[in-house]
Amino acid sequence: MRPFTYERATDARAAVAAVSRDGAKFISGGTNLLDLMKLDIEKPSHLVDISRLPLRDIGELPDGGLRIGAQAANSEVAADTHVRTRYPVLSEALVSGASGQLRNKASTGGNLLQRTRCPYFYDTAAGCNKRDPGSGCSAIGGFNRIHAILGADASCIATHPSDMAVALTALDAEIELLGVDQKVRRVAIADFYRLPGDTPHIENVLRPGEMITGVLLPPPPPGRQRYRKVRDRASYEFALVSVAAVVSTEQGTISEARVAFGGVAHKPWRSSEAEDAVIGRPATMATYRAAAEVAMRDAVGQGDNDFKIDLAKRTLCRTLAQVAGAS
């Protein structure tokens, strides 16, 4: 680990001012950043600790929604009564996302900003456009079992690791940001993450020095919610494929639906194609299979991860059957 200086921020405005200096980065729980610093992937010269800022509250909004402070621990959010009763898909995603120890330490904002777990990203001897732009993508033609099947290109086939972000995508959440100009802006989570394109090292739309201060959830959508995660082991592990689904039915017909995939793309993948394929259709397995086919219509495997295409289809069908029923 390289030498660095450290300061603890006293308030949010002071924090964004402090991190505007060259080489400075925010640190909160540190569950991802410290590992990357030890491996010489992240190389900050100055850390601004925001873990003590008064951003832990989880409170109701006037419109019936919910605001989750960026420093609320994942375990606090998962256990919150409002989250468990009104946004169970979020609680399920958080509980499946990490061990109890990590959930106690990891923050909401940090969870959204965690980096990929691609092994080539962590191997500084390998080519990785995300870590070292222009060096290539060793996962293409390499061991790519956990990699993307949607939205990828020749520059990067890494996947986004957050379970929480997948659930928030299905819930149409917004990210609240404080900039160095001391102005607050909101970004829909659907617009927050970027596909690799020519800049796979730029993963989101955060501006230099900008800090996540909260997550805003709209009033809960009608219907039942479920988060299903398929992984290599039942204990702490990242998703091969996951699905967040919210479905409302009326007399056996699907009236509203939201579907988001995890583990399949560079960012949480909202599938409007799957949603359109089930709305107005009977809640039957035939409907779910048709939705799965259109959701994975553009999926491309890289060899080791070809199985993910069929796995994603089956996971979607199983999840929809649970939230909407099947006959």
Side-chain angles (χ1 to χ4, degrees):
M1 184 182 290
R2 302 187 181 206
F4 60 89
T5 53
Y6 167 92
E7 70 175 286
R8 180 177 295 166
T10 55
D11 61 69
R13 296 182 183 278
V16 295
V19 87
S20 62
R21 62 187 284 188
D22 289 341
K25 288 188 75 72
F26 294 121
I27 185 169
S28 182
T31 56
N32 188 206
L33 177 60
L34 291 177
D35 286 342
L36 295 175
M37 290 173 63
K38 292 173 184 177
L39 294 170
D40 207 31
I41 296 169
E42 292 280 6
K43 306 168 185 178
S45 58
H46 183 67
L47 292 181
V48 180
D49 186 348
I50 56 175
S51 62
R52 309 294 177 89
L53 296 182
L55 298 172
R56 300 183 73 98
D57 290 346
I58 303 172
E60 293 188 77
L61 296 172
D63 66 354
L66 199 68
R67 183 185 185 278
I68 300 170
Q71 290 306 313
N74 288 178
S75 56
E76 295 171 341
V77 179
D80 182 80
T81 301
H82 296 99
V83 174
R84 292 178 63 189
T85 57
R86 297 163 59 191
Y87 307 95
V89 65
L90 176 56
S91 182
E92 291 175 2
L94 285 165
V95 170
S96 71
S99 65
Q101 295 94 327
L102 284 173
R103 291 199 304 271
N104 286 339
K105 190 66 176 173
S107 67
T108 296
N111 187 307
L112 293 171
L113 296 178
Q114 60 184 299
R115 311 285 313 267
T116 183
R117 263 52 180 196
C118 171
Y120 298 105
F121 174 72
Y122 278 79
D123 180 2
T124 55
C128 174
N129 288 321
K130 184 177 289 295
R131 172 176 36 79
D132 184 15
S135 63
C137 177
S138 295
I140 298 176
F143 181 68
N144 48 49
R145 185 171 182 273
I146 68 170
H147 288 72
I149 56 175
L150 290 169
D153 56 36
S155 67
C156 183
I157 60 171
T159 55
H160 193 273
S162 172
D163 293 284
M164 182 184 76
V166 180
L168 292 176
T169 299
L171 293 170
D172 284 332
E174 289 186 320
I175 312 301
E176 182 184 84
L177 306 169
L178 177 65
V180 293
D181 58 1
Q182 305 299 324
K183 294 181 180 179
V184 176
R185 69 179 180 123
R186 296 179 180 180
V187 178
I189 192 167
D191 301 322
F192 184 72
Y193 296 106
R194 297 163 49 118
L195 290 177
D198 296 329
T199 55
H201 59 293
I202 303 176
E203 299 170 344
N204 54 60
V205 299
L206 276 174
R207 297 167 182 167
E210 214 166 28
M211 181 177 71
I212 297 176
T213 53
V215 172
L216 306 173
L217 291 171
R224 298 177 62 190
Q225 305 177 17
R226 183 69 206 273
Y227 186 78
R228 175 171 289 276
K229 181 177 182 178
V230 181
R231 46 192 166 178
D232 282 324
R233 58 184 182 183
S235 60
Y236 167 46
E237 183 60 280
F238 296 98
L240 293 171
V241 170
S242 66
V243 172
V246 184
V247 177
S248 178
T249 59
E250 295 179 6
Q251 298 180 338
T253 298
I254 297 173
S255 56
E256 293 188 42
R258 300 183 186 186
V259 172
F261 288 93
V264 299
H266 206 69
K267 65 176 187 176
W269 193 264
R270 181 76 176 265
S271 181
S272 59
E273 298 86 356
E275 296 168 0
D276 292 341
V278 299
I279 294 174
R281 304 286 295 176
T284 65
M285 189 55 69
T287 296
Y288 310 149
R289 287 175 180 148
E293 290 298 325
V294 297
M296 292 295 122
R297 182 172 49 205
D298 297 326
V300 177
Q302 298 289 334
D304 295 328
N305 68 345
D306 291 351
F307 74 98
K308 275 193 174 190
I309 299 174
D310 191 51
L311 180 61
K313 295 177 184 178
R314 292 172 180 267
T315 305
L316 177 61
C317 290
R318 180 72 179 273
T319 309
L320 290 175
Q322 284 192 309
V323 292
S327 59

